Every structure is written in C-alpha cells, then in structure tokens.
C-alpha cells in the first residue's frame, strides 16, 4: 500500500472541499453516472439526503448533436439541481466538440464528464469507452477539443476511466497525464480493467498510483464503495480528493447522508426501517412517472430497483415477486401496504455489494486495435461512422 501523509488513525479526515474548476463541492462525493439509473428521479432522491455532484446517465455526443428526444431527456435537470452534471460519450473529436459547444452555448450544464470507462461490447467494439485511451492520439484529440469548448463557457470538464483494457494493456497513467496536460478539472479512475467488467475487486492501489502520478489535478477514486466507511478507507489508502459511488447507492439513496456524516467526522448512519424504505420506493416510482411522463415505463423501470431496496429486509417470496413485476402506482401502493411497517433496519444484511457483477471476459475491440497506440487513417474514418447514435449503455 502506498504511504501517504493522510492520518491512518480513526480521527477525522479533514479533507478539503473538492474543487472542480470554479465549482466547490463541500462533500467530496460524486454519484457515478449509471445508465438507466441516475436519471432526474434517482438524482433527486440522492441529493435530498446529502451533498455532492450527481452525474446524469451517459449521453452519446452524436445523439445529443442530433437532438434526439431521448438525449434531450438525458441531459435535462430539475430546476433545483445546483450542479447540472452531464456525461458525454464520443469516439470523434469533432462530434464531441459540437456536443460540448451545444451544452455550453445553450446553458444545459455546469459540469461535463467524458466517459472512457464503459466496458460494454457494443461500445468497445467500436473503439469507444474503455477501449479508447489505448489510442493516444485520438484520446488526446477528444479530451483537448472537449476541454477547449468547455473552457469557452467556463465549465469544468472531467474524465472518468478504467485502468485499461486488461492487465497487459493498462492505459490509466498515460491517459491521466494527457488529460491533466489538456486542462481537465479532475480525473476519476474506476480501479478495474475493461476485461474485469464488474467482477473481482477494484484495485485501490492503482488509484493511489494515479494520485501520486498526478499531484497537480484532483483525482477521484471509484470502485467498491458500499458504505461510508469504505469511502473513508479509500481516501485514507489512496489519498484521493474525492470518491465516486455507483452501485453502493442503488436502493440506498440515503448512503449520501452517511457519506456526508462520515466526511464531517460523525459516526451517525442512516438506518431506515421498513416504513421508510417503502416510502422511498413509492416516491421513487412517482418521480419516475414525472421523469418519463409515462406510468407504464416508470413502473417497468422501478422493478429493477426492488431487490436493491429490500436487500436484507423481511419481505416474503410472493410479495417480492409481485413487487418485481408491479404494473401501476396503484398496485404498488397496495403491495407496499402489505409489508410489515414495524420492521427495523436489518443491519449488515442490508449492506454490502449489490447490482451488476458479471464475470471477466475478453473486451470486444475493433480488428487490430491493440497493434498500434495511434489510429490509422482508415480506422479514423471508421470511427467517425461508429459514433453511437443511441444513448445509455
Ligand atoms: C447499471 C450501471 C450503469 C453504468 N453506466 C455508466 C455510464 O453511463 N457511464 C459511466 O461512466 N459509467 C457507468 N457505469 C459505471 C459506474 O459509473 C462505476 O464506474 C462502476 O459501477 C464502479 O463503481 P461502483 O463500484 O461504485 O459501482 C455504470 C455502472 C452500472 C452498474
């Protein structure tokens, strides 16, 4: 483990607020962008519990430039979102430049993040996400262009990446330096390779190495923070300036209250009983109806959250199954009313890993991608055509 001048005792951390350009984030916590999860509804639930930056679901630059209705929904924010944070995906400097310019000129965002961490085959097969930093020229071009356009509007631009494609093709240290030199406001590292998907353990030592390699730009650590204690442990072990929390808050938007307490040096933790969880589920569903303006779609969406919300709580098999296929708000109300509302917080059974895990697999890449660290002329043309026009992922 890297030795840092961070106290290792149980004393308060005293981590300064996180500075992202001109934005000061008092609690140095970021809700990780999660496609299909971090929409306006979920972001509202999270920020009602604590402070931080709450990043939207990834939107592809091309879809945004084309103003598809779905991409316009993905970049929309509630009027009271103080830091409107948008995550862009792109494999093409020109398109990302246009997308950032659009966000800046039309005042859609206060902070922009670029996605270089997605391991999903449909993305990496086209050279995007976690595959992209392997191509140093293209990565440099995309980050420089995005920073240039964001800077015109005074917006901080950050990048989020993985360690690399696999252990033999690590990219994070070089990519971090390139991004720092391009003028990004922060660099976030998910301590896994693309091959790992979400399996195994996040490598916090790699996060510490990046922190040491980039003393002059904020570094944010990401991966396997399931509790406030994990967040504090990551800061102590790696020296990062802030943490990015993804799956740990699925079904637990109150984790942001714990994180805020912990960073303020308090041991207070939010331990909701059944009645509070049931109320959160119903409110989440109602907010999703607002988000999608479509009850059917909203209820289909809330189903995937049920197992996360009720992890560790006594629910009963039949009721669990009914909740996981709930069709309307009215039915949801009826099902929730069948729960034992006197149920108390189940303790550690409600905590720990949740959400996507998966097994390691070889990352799908364009043919010959690993042969060279730069993009050939023909590859460039293919990439421009490969810019995804769909969103999420
Ligand atoms: C359902 C899901 C969707 C995700 N979507 C995105 C995304 O759109 N953009 C992105 O950069 N990362 C995405 N991620 C990765 C997370 O932001 C985060 O890096 C990863 O989950 C590791 O952090 P964790 O261990 O705290 O969950 C997604 C992860 C999950 C589980």
């Amino acid at each position: 483990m890297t030795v840092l001048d961070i106290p290792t005792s149980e004393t308060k951390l005293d981590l300064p607020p996180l500075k992202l350009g001109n934005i000061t984030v008092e609690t140095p916590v970021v809700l990780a962008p999660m496609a299909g999860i971090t929409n306006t509804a979920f972001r509202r639930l999270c920020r009602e519990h604590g402070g931080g930056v709450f990043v939207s679901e990834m939107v592809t630059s091309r879809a945004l430039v084309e103003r598809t209705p779905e991409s316009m929904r993905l970049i929309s924010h509630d009027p009271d979102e103080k830091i409107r944070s948008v995550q862009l995906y792109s494999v093409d400097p020109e398109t990302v430049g246009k997308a950032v310019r659009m966000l800046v000129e039309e005042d859609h965002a206060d902070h922009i993040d670029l996605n270089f961490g997605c391991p999903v085959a449909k993305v990496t097969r086209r050279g995007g996400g976690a595959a992209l930093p392997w191509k140093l020229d293209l990565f440099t071009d995309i980050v420089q262009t995005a920073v240039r356009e964001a800077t015109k509007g005074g917006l901080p631009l950050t990048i989020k990446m993985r360690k690399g494609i696999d252990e033999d093709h690590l990219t994070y240290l070089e990519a971090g330096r390139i991004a720092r030199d391009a003028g990004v406001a922060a660099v976030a590292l998910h301590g896994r390779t693309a091959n790992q998907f979400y399996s195994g353990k996040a490598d916090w030592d790699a996060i510490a190495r990046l922190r040491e390699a980039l003393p002059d730009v904020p570094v944010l650590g990401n991966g396997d923070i399931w509790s406030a204690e994990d967040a504090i442990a990551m800061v102590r072990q790696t020296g990062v300036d802030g943490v990015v929390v993804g799956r740990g808050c699925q079904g637990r938007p109150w984790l942001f209250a714990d994180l805020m307490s912990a960073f303020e040096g308090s041991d207070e933790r939010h331990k909701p009983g059944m009645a509070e969880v049931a109320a959160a589920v119903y409110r989440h569903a109602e907010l999703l109806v607002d988000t999608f303006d479509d009850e059917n779609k909203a209820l289909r969406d809330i189903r995937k959250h049920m197992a996360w919300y009720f992890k560790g709580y006594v629910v009963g098999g039949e009721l669990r199954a009914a909740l996981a296929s709930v069709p309307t708000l009215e039915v949801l109300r009826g099902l929730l009313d069948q729960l034992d509302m006197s149920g108390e917080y189940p303790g550690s059974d409600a905590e720990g890993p949740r959400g996507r895990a998966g097994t390691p697999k070889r990352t799908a890449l364009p043919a010959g991608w690993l042969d060279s660290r730069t993009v050939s002329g023909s590859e460039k043309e293919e990439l421009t055509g490969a810019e995804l026009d769909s969103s999420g992922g």
Side-chain angles (χ1 to χ4, degrees), residues 142-165:
I142 287 178
V143 178
Q144 283 181 348
T145 307
V147 170
R148 193 177 61 234
E149 292 298 333
T151 305
K152 288 181 189 164
L155 262 65
L157 185 127
T158 58
I159 65 154
K160 179 166 173 287
M161 59 184 175
R162 287 195 177 225
K163 282 168 62 184
I165 292 169

Side-chain angles (χ1 to χ4, degrees), residues 316-328:
E318 243 173 73
L319 193 47
R320 262 181 203 276
L323 285 164
S325 59
V326 62
T328 63

Side-chain angles (χ1 to χ4, degrees), residues 32-35 37 57-58 87 115 160 190 192 198 222-226 244-248 250 356 393:
M34 286 185 285
I37 309 282
E57 309 162 79
M58 143 187 150
Q87 192 192 46
N115 179 339
K160 179 166 173 287
H190 176 193
R192 284 188 173 82
Y198 293 89
N222 174 229
D224 297 353
I225 292 176
W226 308 108
V244 183
V245 182
R247 294 163 298 165
Q250 288 176 334
R356 237 176 233 183

Side-chain angles (χ1 to χ4, degrees), residues 1-6 8 204-213 235-239:
M1 202 66 57
T2 320
V3 180
L4 299 148
D5 57 357
I6 299 248
T8 50
W204 290 7
D205 285 347
I207 295 171
R209 274 195 289 278
L210 184 69
R211 167 66 292 169
E212 280 190 321
V235 173
R236 287 193 201 283
Q237 284 182 30
T238 66

Side-chain angles (χ1 to χ4, degrees), residues 44-66:
R44 169 167 293 281
L45 287 174
C46 292
R47 80 176 176 276
E48 282 174 355
H49 286 280
V53 180
F54 303 91
V55 188
S56 67
E57 309 162 79
M58 143 187 150
V59 56
T60 75
S61 296
R62 175 161 153 209
L64 186 60
V65 169
E66 290 176 357

Side-chain angles (χ1 to χ4, degrees), residues 63-218:
L64 186 60
V65 169
E66 290 176 357
R67 295 175 190 274
T68 65
E70 176 65 355
S71 68
M72 298 311 284
R73 178 190 72 73
L74 288 169
I75 63 155
S76 69
H77 290 83
D78 285 340
D80 62 338
E81 286 193 73
K82 289 206 188 79
I83 306 171
R84 296 165 302 163
S85 178
V86 169
Q87 192 192 46
L88 289 178
Y89 161 90
S90 185
V91 291
D92 174 43
E94 199 184 323
T95 313
V96 84
K98 283 184 190 160
V100 173
R101 200 175 318 140
M102 176 179 161
L103 291 171
V104 168
E105 287 180 352
E106 298 177 17
D107 188 24
H108 289 297
D110 302 303
H111 160 239
I112 299 171
D113 184 52
L114 296 186
N115 179 339
F116 296 109
C118 190
V120 174
K122 80 170 182 190
V123 164
T124 55
R125 193 184 294 126
R126 298 167 182 227
L132 203 140
W134 181 254
K135 299 293 188 184
L136 297 172
D137 52 348
L138 180 63
F139 177 77
T140 306
D141 211 358
I142 287 178
V143 178
Q144 283 181 348
T145 307
V147 170
R148 193 177 61 234
E149 292 298 333
T151 305
K152 288 181 189 164
L155 262 65
L157 185 127
T158 58
I159 65 154
K160 179 166 173 287
M161 59 184 175
R162 287 195 177 225
K163 282 168 62 184
I165 292 169
D166 57 40
E167 289 297 331
D168 295 327
H169 300 88
L170 297 177
T171 52
Y172 68 104
L173 290 171
E174 267 168 310
R177 288 192 190 100
I178 290 170
R180 185 265 321 269
D181 293 346
V184 298
V187 171
L189 177 63
H190 176 193
R192 284 188 173 82
T193 61
N195 271 19
Q196 280 181 288
F197 223 72
Y198 293 89
S199 69
K201 266 196 151 276
D203 176 1
W204 290 7
D205 285 347
I207 295 171
R209 274 195 289 278
L210 184 69
R211 167 66 292 169
E212 280 190 321
L214 303 180
D216 40 7
V217 68

